[in-house]
Structure formats: structure tokens, C-alpha cells
């Protein structure tokens, strides 16, 4: 299960996306369709030796034979908050590239499960990231007032449709289709902060296993205890498969969809590292999907997080580069090859201060900055804030611009900063200082 959530708001405008294409729900038409971009979406500008500009945005995707135009996903509509930059990532599927660190890690996990469980687990890595609100939240028992549903943290196509925040969005439908052992890998989308470890698109893997009464009854244990013990044994083996003979510890935690719930930490490179979240699936999820007499476990992990540790990759933006100095360092099946840095280019810092309003959020600010600067923005960090005697609050943010591929010129950095200032003032309705 994908165990950390993005976050929500209610919208009331009807779905133009669903009616325009002649089908009533994305969960019916797109959930299990192959997703891939046209060649335009997979190409990128060769920017290493020229002034940077935003990548060309693909005009159309094909999802399961249904052509979806950019206007269907990115619209000038109060219920839609998907920017062009996110649309270009749909269908790129880094996890399906065998010579990419994300794909190498996915295949290493597949190898562990194939060896340990004799290919018992069904694998899904091509499920469409456009899902219904029901799939993304309701089916995994996320409360209606949960922060994960907020417009501030989740990309909404329309009031009933989102870009999935986690691979758990496919759990219920796979159960209904009769799958009892499965791994789901895919790209997930969350509005988030900007720094070296956060990016609005990343990749997750969910694992799920269902047990029957005849599995646990001979042990003399109850179903929940049996599933929890099996889960920990499975994931301790996976951690050793990826990291070697490391010290581990289990931390009790809380998730809406499992009980009991745990996090696994390993002691790696002289510090404790959270590897994944997991737990025994809530009975209500099984009951809703025709598994009344069963118990199950689920786990979820972030592939970027583990790949950055295993391959020594210092900046999450590198996963998206097409620079051969990055891509040529990795080979199919070579887990843990240490990345050799090639970027020595200096950052450029620009500060921006403004009076905020009641609706201001940092995630909205980061979306505006990303929309202008793309992957040239390395970090957005609050460095100062104060409230004056009249009750007005001022924030000062420091924006770090840095290319991983070339030196930026003063001209283009100044141009980016002026455009950022203009869009922040216009779109966020704040008063610059």
C-alpha cells in the first residue's frame, strides 16, 4: 500500500472530461488500460548549451485506445489544478525502463518475490494514473475530512477524478477481479514542496497478500497475528535482499487502511532509515470486495526514496534527466551502482517577500514556481516570517535556481525571477514587498 498520502477540497462543477469522451466514469474506462505518451511527450528540448525554455507540452495522450487531449486533463477551470508540467509526465513510466534506477529497483524487488514465493504474485505496472476519487480515497477508507483529499495537495482533473496519490488506488478493483497476491507499481502525483527529496511525480510499489482460514488455523494463531508475522518475515527478507545484512526495527504506527500498522526502519550508513509502511488490512476493505472470511496484509514503498539511497543519487530531479552523463551510468540488473556526480554548477539564490492572505499555502507557491522554472528550481525555502501590529503576516522565501547540466546565465535567472514574482502576485493574490 502507498502509505503516505498527498492531501483536498470539494468541487461541485460537473465533469467535462467524462462527458466529452462519451464514457461515464474513469474507473470503468481507464483504470486498467495501458498508459503511454506520444513521442512528443517523451522528447525533451536539448537545453544544455542554449537558453532554457519550458519543455514542449504534448497535445495528446493515448490511454487504452482512447485519445485524451491536453485540454481534457489541463483546463482553465476552478475544479482543475493540473498544470502543463504534470501533464507531460503522464505515461512516461520511469519504472518500466529496465536501465533506469527506478526500473532496476523495481525488477530487483520482483526478483525477490519471484524467488521467495515461486512467482505467486501477479504484477501490474501499467495501470492508468487517472482514477476516480472513489478509487483513490473511498475504497481505502480515507475519511472525507482527511487532509489527503485537499485541493492543496492532490491534483484534481474534476470533482470526481484525480491523478492517483498512491498505487493503493487500484487495490479494491484488483481484489474484486479475484487477485489475491499482487504487486502494483506506478507513477503517483502530489502537490508538494520543492527540495532535493520532493518532486510532484514519483513512483510507488504496493504489495498485497490474502490468506484463507486454512492458512492460519493449523498454526493455532488468529488470522490477524498470523498475517502480521508473515508480513514482517516477508519484508525483513526484502530489506536484506536490497541492503544486505542490516539491523532492522519495527515501529508501531497508524494508517486508515491497516490495523495493526507498522513502519520498517533499517540502520544504513550510520543512521536509521524508514524503508516502508505496512500492516494487516482493515476487514472492511476485504468485506466490501467479497473477502469476508479472509485476512490480508499490505505494504507500500517509495521507489525514489530507496533508489536515492541505493544508488547515491543526491537530487530527485536527476531521475527525470535525459543527460547521457546520468543515464549511461546504470545498466539492467545492476542494483546499487553508485552514481558519480557530474554537476558542479553553482546555485543562484533569489529572495522574494510578500504579505500573505488567508488562502495562501506553500504548496500553491511551489506550483507557481515550478510552472515558470520547471526543473531549474532546486529549492523553495521559507527563511523569514513576521506579523506586524496590524495583524498582517509577511513571508520571505529563498528560491535556489540550479541546472544539473550547465551553468545558468544572469539573464535567464533574472527573467525567471521576474516572471515568478509576477505570477505569484497575480495567481496567489499576495502583495509583494
Amino acid at each position: 500500500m502507498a502509505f503516505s498520502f498527498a492531501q483536498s477540497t470539494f468541487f461541485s462543477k460537473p465533469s467535462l472530461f467524462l462527458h466529452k469522451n462519451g464514457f461515464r466514469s474513469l474507473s470503468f474506462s481507464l483504470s486498467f488500460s495501458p498508459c503511454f505518451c506520444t513521442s512528443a511527450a517523451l522528447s525533451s528540448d536539448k537545453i544544455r548549451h542554449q537558453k532554457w525554455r519550458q519543455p514542449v507540452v504534448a497535445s495528446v495522450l493515448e490511454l487504452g485506445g482512447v485519445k485524451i487531449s491536453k485540454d481534457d486533463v489541463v483546463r482553465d477551470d476552478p475544479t482543475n489544478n493540473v498544470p502543463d508540467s504534470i501533464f507531460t509526465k503522464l505515461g512516461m513510466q520511469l519504472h518500466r525502463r529496465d536501465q533506469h534506477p527506478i526500473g532496476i529497483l523495481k525488477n530487483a524487488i520482483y526478483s525477490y518475490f519471484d524467488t521467495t514465493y515461486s512467482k505467486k504474485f501477479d504484477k501490474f505496472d501499467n495501470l492508468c494514473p487517472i482514477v476516480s476519487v472513489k478509487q483513490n480515497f473511498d475504497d481505502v477508507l480515507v475519511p472525507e475530512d482527511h487532509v489527503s483529499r485537499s485541493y492543496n495537495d492532490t491534483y484534481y482533473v474534476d470533482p470526481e477524478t484525480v491523478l492517483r496519490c498512491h498505487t493503493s488506488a487500484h487495490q479494491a478493483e484488483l481484489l474484486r477481479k479475484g487477485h489475491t497476491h499482487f504487486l502494483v507499481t506506478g507513477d503517483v502525483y502530489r502537490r508538494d514542496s520543492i527540495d532535493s527529496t520532493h518532486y510532484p511525480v514519483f513512483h510507488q510499489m504496493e504489495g498485497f497478500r490474502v490468506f484463507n482460514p486454512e492458512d492460519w488455523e493449523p498454526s493455532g494463531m488468529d488470522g490477524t497475528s498470523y498475517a502480521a508475522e508473515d508480513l514482517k518475515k516477508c519484508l525483513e527478507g526484502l530489506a536484506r535482499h536490497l541492503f544486505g545484512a542490516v539491523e532492522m526495527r519495527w515501529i508501531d504506527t497508524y494508517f486508515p487502511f491497516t490495523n495493526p500498522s507498522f513502519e520498517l526502519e533499517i540502520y544504513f550508513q550510520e543512521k536509521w532509515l524508514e524503508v516502508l509502511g505496512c500492516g494487516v488490512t482493515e476487514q472492511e476493505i476485504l468485506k466490501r470486495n467479497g473477502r469476508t472470511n479472509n485476512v490480508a496484509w499490505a505494504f507500500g514503498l517509495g521507489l525514489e526514496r530507496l533508489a536515492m539511497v541505493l544508488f547515491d543519487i543526491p537530487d530527485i530531479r536527476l531521475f527525470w534527466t535525459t543527460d547521457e552523463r546520468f543515464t549511461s551510468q546504470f545498466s539492467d540488473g545492476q542494483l546499487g551502482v553508485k552514481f558519480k556526480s557530474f554537476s558542479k554548477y553553482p546555485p543562484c539564490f533569489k529572495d522574494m517577500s510578500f504579505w500573505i492572505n488567508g488562502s495562501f499555502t506553500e504548496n500553491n507557491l511551489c506550483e507557481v514556481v515550478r510552472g515558470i522554472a520547471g526543473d531549474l528550481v532546486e529549492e523553495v525555502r521559507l527563511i523569514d516570517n513576521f506579523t506586524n501590529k496590524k495583524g498582517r503576516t509577511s513571508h520571505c522565501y529563498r528560491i535556489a535556481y540550479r541546472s544539473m547540466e550547465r551553468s545558468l546565465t544572469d539573464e535567464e535567472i533574472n527573467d525567471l525571477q521576474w516572471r515568478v514574482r509576477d505570477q505569484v502576485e497575480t495567481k496567489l493574490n499576495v502583495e509583494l514587498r
Side-chain angles (χ1 to χ4, degrees):
M1 216 168 220
F3 283 83
S4 68
F5 281 117
Q7 291 116 75
S8 94
T9 195
F10 256 124
F11 303 105
S12 57
K13 196 164 182 176
S15 168
L16 303 178
F17 176 81
L18 303 185
H19 298 295
K20 182 175 180 179
N21 288 284
F23 40 82
R24 305 300 297 181
S25 75
L26 284 172
S27 58
F28 160 69
S29 299
L30 297 178
S31 297
F32 287 82
S33 303
C35 294
F36 53 91
C37 285
T38 61
S39 58
L42 298 177
S43 65
S44 64
D45 288 333
K46 297 179 179 178
I47 61 174
R48 197 182 310 168
H49 302 298
Q50 58 181 297
K51 184 175 179 178
W52 181 85
R53 65 181 187 275
Q54 282 279 31
V56 175
V57 178
S59 60
V60 99
L61 298 169
E62 188 169 337
L63 305 177
V66 178
K67 290 188 176 181
I68 308 298
S69 74
K70 181 167 75 78
D71 291 341
D72 290 322
V73 181
V74 182
R75 297 198 300 267
D76 184 15
D77 183 310
T79 69
N80 182 285
N81 63 349
V82 184
D84 288 351
S85 59
I86 294 300
F87 180 79
T88 64
K89 299 295 193 295
L90 287 171
M92 292 188 72
Q93 299 183 312
L94 301 183
H95 60 285
R96 304 189 74 212
R97 303 182 185 187
D98 292 340
Q99 298 193 56
H100 190 282
I102 300 298
I104 294 169
L105 175 57
K106 180 201 75 172
N107 290 334
I109 299 172
Y110 279 2
S111 176
Y112 168 77
F113 277 91
D114 285 344
T115 301
T116 307
Y117 296 96
S118 301
K119 298 188 177 181
K120 181 179 290 188
F121 279 76
D122 299 322
K123 304 179 190 70
F124 301 90
D125 69 354
N126 199 26
L127 305 182
C128 184
I130 303 174
V131 300
S132 67
V133 168
K134 178 178 182 297
Q135 289 173 291
N136 199 71
F137 296 121
D138 300 336
D139 285 351
V140 287
L141 309 183
V142 178
E144 291 205 2
D145 61 351
H146 197 281
V147 65
S148 66
R149 295 179 181 252
S150 81
Y151 182 87
N152 183 57
D153 299 290
T154 294
Y155 289 110
Y156 279 81
V157 174
D158 60 44
E160 292 84 33
T161 313
V162 297
L163 302 185
R164 66 185 171 207
C165 303
H166 46 202
T167 46
S168 304
H170 305 287
Q171 183 186 109
E173 191 159 358
L174 285 171
L175 283 171
R176 289 194 297 270
K177 286 179 174 288
H179 298 284
T180 59
H181 297 65
F182 53 85
L183 302 172
V184 179
T185 313
D187 43 329
V188 297
Y189 299 78
R190 300 182 190 176
R191 303 175 91 240
D192 211 338
S193 56
I194 298 176
D195 58 40
S196 63
T197 62
H198 291 87
Y199 199 80
V201 188
F202 56 104
H203 298 78
Q204 289 185 337
M205 181 183 292
E206 160 145 341
F208 202 92
R209 185 180 189 185
V210 176
F211 297 92
N212 297 313
E214 53 265 32
D215 293 321
W216 71 77
E217 287 176 348
S219 72
M221 303 170 69
D222 63 88
T224 297
S225 298
Y226 183 87
E229 183 176 288
D230 183 87
L231 170 65
K232 290 182 176 181
K233 179 181 177 182
C234 168
L235 296 178
E236 287 171 1
L238 175 60
R240 285 190 292 269
H241 178 72
L242 297 177
F243 294 94
V246 293
E247 184 181 352
M248 302 177 223
R249 67 184 183 188
W250 290 97
I251 308 296
D252 292 336
T253 188
Y254 165 79
F255 303 116
F257 25 69
T258 56
N259 184 25
S261 302
F262 315 100
E263 289 175 346
L264 175 61
E265 295 184 347
I266 64 170
Y267 195 70
F268 187 74
Q269 296 179 347
E270 301 184 348
K271 62 182 178 181
W272 284 103
L273 171 71
E274 180 189 331
V275 176
L276 49 79
C278 61
V280 178
T281 307
E282 284 282 3
Q283 285 301 118
E284 181 63 22
I285 293 177
L286 296 172
K287 180 180 177 182
R288 290 182 184 183
N289 295 289
R291 293 283 175 179
T292 305
N293 298 319
N294 301 103
V295 296
W297 57 241
F299 73 85
L301 54 83
L303 293 176
E304 274 87 350
R305 181 183 190 134
L306 297 186
M308 290 179 78
V309 173
L310 288 165
F311 294 94
D312 276 354
I313 295 172
D315 193 311
I316 197 169
R317 294 175 298 165
L318 281 164
F319 289 113
W320 297 94
T321 185
T322 57
D323 193 310
E324 290 185 1
R325 292 173 294 177
F326 178 81
T327 59
S328 64
Q329 294 190 35
F330 308 102
S331 301
D332 186 6
Q334 300 298 306
L335 181 68
V337 172
K338 301 307 180 185
F339 169 66
K340 295 181 178 61
S341 180
F342 56 82
S343 177
K344 304 296 183 183
Y345 306 109
C348 177
F349 301 99
K350 296 287 185 180
D351 293 351
M352 177 173 56
S353 298
F354 47 82
W355 299 105
I356 67 170
N357 55 44
S359 62
F360 173 81
T361 70
E362 191 167 300
N363 278 358
N364 285 339
L365 171 65
C366 290
E367 284 296 307
V368 171
V369 178
R370 277 197 190 99
I372 300 296
D375 284 354
L376 292 185
V377 58
E378 180 177 66
E379 184 179 44
V380 174
R381 181 166 57 94
L382 179 66
I383 61 171
D384 185 47
N385 73 91
F386 70 91
T387 301
N388 67 13
K389 294 181 179 179
K390 296 182 178 180
R392 300 186 73 191
T393 298
S394 172
H395 283 187
C396 180
Y397 285 89
R398 177 158 293 164
I399 303 174
Y401 297 99
R402 188 204 310 247
S403 170
M404 296 172 289
E405 301 171 354
R406 63 186 177 86
S407 291
L408 301 176
T409 68
D410 290 339
E411 179 188 4
E412 61 188 319
I413 292 171
N414 289 335
D415 176 63
L416 288 172
Q417 182 68 4
W418 280 112
R419 286 195 284 147
V420 165
R421 288 174 60 87
D422 178 68
Q423 290 297 303
V424 165
E425 187 172 36
T426 302
K427 292 187 175 182
L428 302 186
N429 194 30
V430 298
E431 182 182 338
L432 295 175
R433 300 180 60 228

